[in-house]
Amino acid sequence: MFITCLDLEGVLVPEIWIAFADASGIPELRITTRDEPDYDKLMKYRINILKEHKLGLKEIQETIAKIDPMPGAKEFLDNLRSICQVIIISDTFTQFASPLMAKLGYPTIFCNSLEVGANDEIIGYKMRVENSKLTTVKALQSIGYDTIASGDSFNDLGMIKASKAGYLFRSTEKIIKDYPQFPAFTEYSQLLNAIKEVISK
């Protein structure tokens, strides 16, 4: 039995922090897990910038409300869910993801949560589990599933490497070059066909 594990941002929806960086006019917030492999370092950096500019969850959620899935993402997800179970495994937060899940047809998502203080200030974050993507894939395998994984960033590589089949999707030139063993796709049809081929064997 197969479960496909997908990253969210950069694969199904635009990068939330990049969208907020553009909306707020703070280019320093454009850095994502494509650029910084150390997630804790990245989040502390982001939280400090938000504090400096007196911005909180409310302002980010206002930006998220205007974000739509990437063209073709919902159709891809619907087609994929018709042939196998799908879980989105993301390092984003429930406070960010919920409105986006409505636009994607409410797929299953495993993600983290923000710690929010007074006046909607983001004061920290709580990871669901350490190294969540790899840990989740291994847990699924331990209960009898074969996993297929796809993502675009450094934090997706663990689950991609550990899965029966793994694919890069709309990744960076550096990651594609450094990990040539993983097929790299830019179109949903390519990714869907590759997954179908694995499942049919």
Side-chain angles (χ1 to χ4, degrees):
M1 295 179 69
F2 285 94
I3 288 186
T4 298
C5 301
L6 298 174
D7 180 32
L8 177 65
E9 295 177 67
V11 174
L12 298 170
V13 303
E15 293 279 354
I16 292 168
W17 286 99
I18 290 177
F20 184 64
D22 294 344
S24 63
I26 305 171
E28 294 89 345
L29 288 173
R30 289 182 63 88
I31 295 174
T32 71
T33 51
R34 288 173 162 223
D35 313 297
E36 174 54 68
D38 187 329
Y39 192 72
D40 185 61
K41 179 180 176 182
L42 177 61
M43 277 307 300
K44 285 176 179 174
Y45 170 79
R46 288 167 168 168
I47 290 169
N48 284 336
I49 291 174
L50 293 174
K51 187 173 183 179
E52 180 185 330
H53 291 270
K54 295 182 170 57
L55 294 169
L57 178 60
K58 178 176 174 288
E59 289 81 8
I60 300 174
Q61 287 178 327
E62 286 171 355
T63 296
I64 293 170
K66 300 171 187 172
I67 295 175
D68 288 320
M70 292 178 175
K74 185 178 185 302
E75 293 77 7
F76 161 73
L77 201 52
D78 288 345
N79 287 329
L80 183 56
R81 290 166 77 188
S82 75
I83 61 171
C84 70
Q85 298 295 311
V86 180
I87 298 175
I88 297 171
I89 307 176
S90 174
D91 279 337
T92 193
F93 309 97
T94 53
Q95 295 94 330
F96 289 4
S98 294
L100 296 169
M101 293 305 99
K103 294 179 181 181
L104 286 169
Y106 296 102
T108 299
I109 182 167
F110 294 168
C111 59
N112 306 308
S113 59
L114 289 169
E115 296 172 344
V116 183
N119 301 316
D120 264 351
E121 181 186 1
I122 297 172
I123 56 175
Y125 68 98
K126 185 175 181 182
M127 297 295 279
R128 180 173 52 81
V129 66
E130 189 175 348
N131 204 352
S132 64
K133 298 189 181 191
L134 175 59
T135 302
T136 302
V137 160
K138 285 186 171 179
L140 291 168
Q141 291 167 352
S142 76
I143 56 172
Y145 286 96
D146 285 321
T147 58
I148 300 168
S150 183
D152 68 323
S153 299
F154 284 108
N155 63 339
D156 299 311
L157 292 170
M159 71 172 181
I160 289 173
K161 290 176 185 175
S163 292
K164 183 164 186 176
Y167 308 102
L168 297 171
F169 188 75
R170 297 182 183 172
S171 190
T172 65
E173 288 184 14
K174 175 172 173 48
I175 293 175
I176 291 169
K177 182 181 176 184
D178 289 349
Y179 296 90
Q181 68 269 41
F182 301 121
F185 301 129
T186 57
E187 301 298 327
Y188 290 119
S189 58
Q190 296 171 317
L191 181 55
L192 183 63
N193 288 336
I195 294 170
K196 281 180 176 177
E197 189 175 337
V198 173
I199 292 172
S200 67
K201 286 181 180 176

